[in-house]
Amino acid sequence: MIPGDVVYLKPESAEEAVEAWSLANAASAAAGAASARGAASPRYLAGGTEILTTARRSAAYAVGALVDVKAVPEAKAAGALPDSLAGAAWLGEAAGGAPYGADGLYFGAALPLAELEDGPLFPLLSNAARGVADRTTRNRLSLGGNVAGQLPYREAVLPLLAAGALGYSALPGDAPAAGGAKLRLVRWGLRSRFDKRLALLPGELLLGFWVPKAATEARAAYVRKTRTGPIDYPLITLCALRTRSGAAWALGGAFPYPARSDEADGALSEALSASGDARAGALGRAAAALGEPRSDQRAGAEYRAALIALALETVAEELA
Amino acid sequence: MTERKGPYELRLRVNGEERAALTRPAETLLRLLRERLGLTGPKCGCENGDCGACTVLIDGVPTKSCMVLAVECEGRELTTIEGLRDHPVQRAFSAENGFQCGFCTPGMIMNAVALVRAHPEPNEEADRNWMGSNLCRCTGYEGIRRALAAARAELAARAGLMPRAKERP
Amino acid sequence: MDHARYLGGSPERTDAPAKTGGALRYTDDRVRPGTLHAALLYSPYAHARIASVDLSRAEAAPGVRGAFSGADWPDTLIGLYMGDKPPLARETVRYYGEPVAAVVADSEAETLAAIRLVEASFEALPPLASPRDSLAPGAAVLHPGLGSYRRIPAILPEPGTNVANRTRIRKGDPEEAFARAPVVVSGSFSFPPGDHAAMEPRVAIAEYGLDGRLTVTSSTQSPFGVRTLLAKGLGLPERRIRVIAPPVGGGFGGKAGIQLEPLACLLAMRFPGRPVRLANAREADMVSSPGRPGLESTVRIAAERDGAILAMDIELLFDSGAYADYAVNVSRAAAVACTGPYKVPNVKADALCVYTNHPFATAFRGFGHIELSYATERALDLLADELGMDPAALREKNAAQPGHTTPTGAVLDPNTGDLPACIALVKERLGWDEGRRRLMPDGKVRAKGLACFWKAPAIPTFTDAGATLAFAEDGSAVLTTGVVEIGQGCFDGLRLIVAEALRMDPSMVRVEPEADTDRSPHDWTTAASRSLFMAGRAALGAAEDAVAQLKRVASAPLRCPEEDLEIGDGRIYLRDDPAHGLPISAVALGYVYENGNAIGGPIIGRGRYIARGLSGMDPESGEGRPGLEWTMGAEGVELELDPRDGSCRVLRSACAMDVGKVIHPALARGQLVGAMAMGIGYATREAFSFDSRQGVQNASLRDYKLLRYGEDPEYFVDFVETPQGDGPYGARGLGEQGIIGMPGAIAQAASLAAGVQLCELPITPEYLWTSMRKERP
């Protein structure tokens, strides 16, 4: 239960959603100025699992308005890129050209993970989705919520990082009051905006991800280890894809954030074509490139490092 | 755009009936069902999405009602354990001792109802995937496992796909 | 006795329609409009001085009716065997999660919003993190008032220290035995405290009526215990207190004793005429309310070369956490049974209940026996290793049998179960003799383990149960007891017992499903696997009493001596001419002659039971007879270990138990299977994880992992039936016992698989992996 009061808004389009957020934000800023507790900024709501659990447990997590984006068409689309996003501008630099060509598949941010789990479009994403929480929870928990959430694990982002996905989002327009556009639709390279977390701008509405077709069809490997059974936070989750130049992979659970790096990809790629000591050395460098895993209540760093090493061996075998 | 704030009257369809209740947008579906509509079948075991005792069906999809705002359910078809009447899954849980204390049972049964509908044939992988969402502290899951098998057999017999495994008086 | 008609059948549970229909109303399903809601502020420190508690902002919040701190009840101390706990912390907090302040408001949302406005400040103190920490010289004394606390005489605290209770066992001459023994092994074994995690969080709804009576509806296993402890703690006589116990959503000992009731009542007394609901959120249920104790132990065994045990020297240090609660008796119960079910002529044991700054501990399924069993079974495995002996054979050789004596010197009577038969059954189920360790083609290792257990209830010498049996117009019978339905299905067992005694179809027998201290006959508590045994005896008595009355009334219209009458199938009839008789319905509420004259009146059968021949224990030697009857058994597992990453899974789990007589096979099996599953969780994952300041890191069902569907093994259950002479139809208690041997059996199998003796719980993949690496670097 959320102890306080909230305003619930359910827009029908991205434009309405961003506008609703901006208006609610302005209202809460005005109210916050008069209140000792400060402003509670509005939040986009899709699955709501993280918002509801955090609001119940943490007094510091203020919730003002909830903007339910489940009726925004771009957020629930799957398969072809929605026409409305075809003209989205690059946010910042263009993402260095799609690594696999222009053909691709789109996954809306409000899609529940269970739908991705059952869908055949991108098997590695299906696997990663299946690792999150439990089946009933995944009937609600959304792709966007998982990727942009506060928890350290965020396993659904791992296949997207490995695949070099593009993200699509909606931003408030520059000067809507002056008659300018209310909305800017933008796209961006996920890897370039994801450093430990996806850095969204205030009011930015995550709409979905585009994954190159070749990546969805590439040979993939997935390893997940927990302290107990499948319904537990991961000690490590490793998602890897075969690429033209070798392999790309991302690692969750080992650090307080999902991680990948070009160096780590390079080392795993080397391992695929090497054998014996050279292969072992390359796998060691692949792991080392992401840094020392963490120790926490679930497992120590040494054990996690061992699991990573075992997983990388499995992955190298499966991708070679 | 829909907007809801403050206390307002929520209308929704539960167990085939139109119901209305005064609520606030921050209220979860679980609280609404239990505290405003008198449907105490869904249980509050953790209110954190971990135990599954509050599972209900929203448009046929099993959902933890502690993880949904009631306001999100406007226009949806809700089914709680009270909406089942002598369902084969209920009968199977009774006959096979698929419960002891019974606290997890309403959620367990709602999930199982959706499971055997989605997977009418025995399917260990699907069973693990779906039923793993619901904790039971009493049974060690043995009776629940038997109940799933019995319910599927009963439903198959009903559909005329195979002879009835066990006649019940 | 006739051949049993109904015993041994497994009719569907009477509560099945309500439970599978979602219609059963547990305590929290009974909240009346107008009820006030309480919320608590919990200590974020394991040990701290409370510098200040400022309630003013909370008091001013919308909907708030009152806010309270420890200062509101400056002298009240609550406890079970020892009154050591303030309802809200005063001056110091002793554990992470201890209630510090309470807010009462009109709605739960308002109370939860307001509790966040209470401003409490603390000065942290160094926490005591284990029993050995607490026993170290110079350790802070957590309860300076220990010497002055109200307590029962069986508990022996040591004021000025952190020892809340010490139980000594001195049997034979262990010193001499160790000195001459050809083989001596020794080991230290430990595990942290954990939680019951019943699916229903604890809740109490209290109302202080305008008539001056206090009524509390609670998720409790002990309505009568709550009544008397409230009377002591609040200074009200029992006649002004009513406790209602609806069916409980899982107990496992965690809802025995006294829980949220005192604070709910104290709050309700501030708002006469309005019910106050105090409900645990899951997180609070796990750490603020009591869990199960942790353990540190050392066991030495002296033995002959052939494996015959000469002596045991056992130290059991129970981590009771901040308060004593049931743990002082848990440690005592462990002392009573300390050797496990073996013939041990010489014993030295000290079982200590030790205060620490952990969440406090109460009764948990097994009541001290999991702890002692884990320690002694592990030590037996070291002995088997040392002797090169099959661990099952070692247990067979030393199995306790009638005529042997327990650690307290009580003689095992002819009612004692057949342990060797249980061992044989488990071995057969697991294919023990086909090899205990197997390397699989995929590199994994499968291994088997077997452990034995025994348990006698740790109960007051005067533990009792009452029952009444009345009839309706249709001739059906209704049994009323003070037993609480906690999932165990005891009412269905009682129903069969009554049906058998009345020779009446079970569908014609109803058992009142709710205990209410105003209406139910007195019953000690629903715990210690007592209900089927004790309430069963009382039910039998009530049935016999009712039958005698029925015969007396029927003898007049049937014009025969009472002793010529027989009862069965809903009729009273002449034994030698069964066609000549009357339906019970014509007699049970009084017989009416054709002319309208009536005789008899409503038949009410009365039955009662009180424990027989129990005595206290000598404080120096433990000598005495504290254990009523011993349930014995064996259990075992086969598990699979992946030596590469330590991941491990229990594949098969078997339990054979001598239960005297199986009353309701399906429910009996359910108890054993459920207990085994809980034991697997206990051994492999369940424990609190503490940070360096002894805060609990996994106080949620997301982080405290229970066994889930799909992680369950294949279960095997076998019953042995050596009748318990004084049990109802020969039955003895069986609800808890199936958990006791699991940690030992799993540790044995995992140790065999890993090639290293494991001494700690839980046995996680990381623990296995680390242990294997230490062994073979």
Side-chain angles (χ1 to χ4, degrees), chain C residues 50-65:
Chain C
I50 302 172
S52 66
V53 180
D54 182 353
L55 303 170
S56 55
R57 285 183 62 216
E59 278 169 334
V64 170
R65 300 288 166 178

Side-chain angles (χ1 to χ4, degrees), chain B residues 2 4 18-19 21 46-47 67 69 71 81-82 85 121 123 125 135 141-142:
Chain B
T2 310
R4 299 280 181 260
E18 296 291 340
R19 300 286 300 265
C46 69
E47 223 174 14
M67 291 286 95
L69 296 172
V71 64
I81 185 81
E82 289 93 340
R85 284 285 183 273
E121 299 295 321
N123 184 331
E125 194 192 326
L135 285 171
Y141 304 102
E142 187 184 53

Side-chain angles (χ1 to χ4, degrees), chain A residues 56 231 233 298 300 302-303, chain C residues 283 645 702-703 705 773:
Chain A
R56 187 179 71 84
I231 299 170
Y233 288 125
R298 290 190 173 76
E302 213 182 346
Y303 182 56
Chain C
E283 296 80 3
D645 60 14
R702 188 165 301 183
D703 296 322
K705 306 307 284 192
R773 284 223 319 172

Side-chain angles (χ1 to χ4, degrees), chain C residues 513-531:
Chain C
E514 186 166 305
D516 177 340
T517 57
D518 272 10
R519 296 173 184 168
S520 310
H522 192 271
D523 186 285
W524 166 65
T525 232
T526 297
S529 309
R530 286 305 70 216
S531 299

Side-chain angles (χ1 to χ4, degrees), chain C residues 22 108 258 270 318 356 363 419 599 669 723:
Chain C
E108 192 169 0
I258 194 154
R270 300 294 179 107
F318 283 81
T356 68
L419 183 57
I599 57 163
R669 181 184 174 93

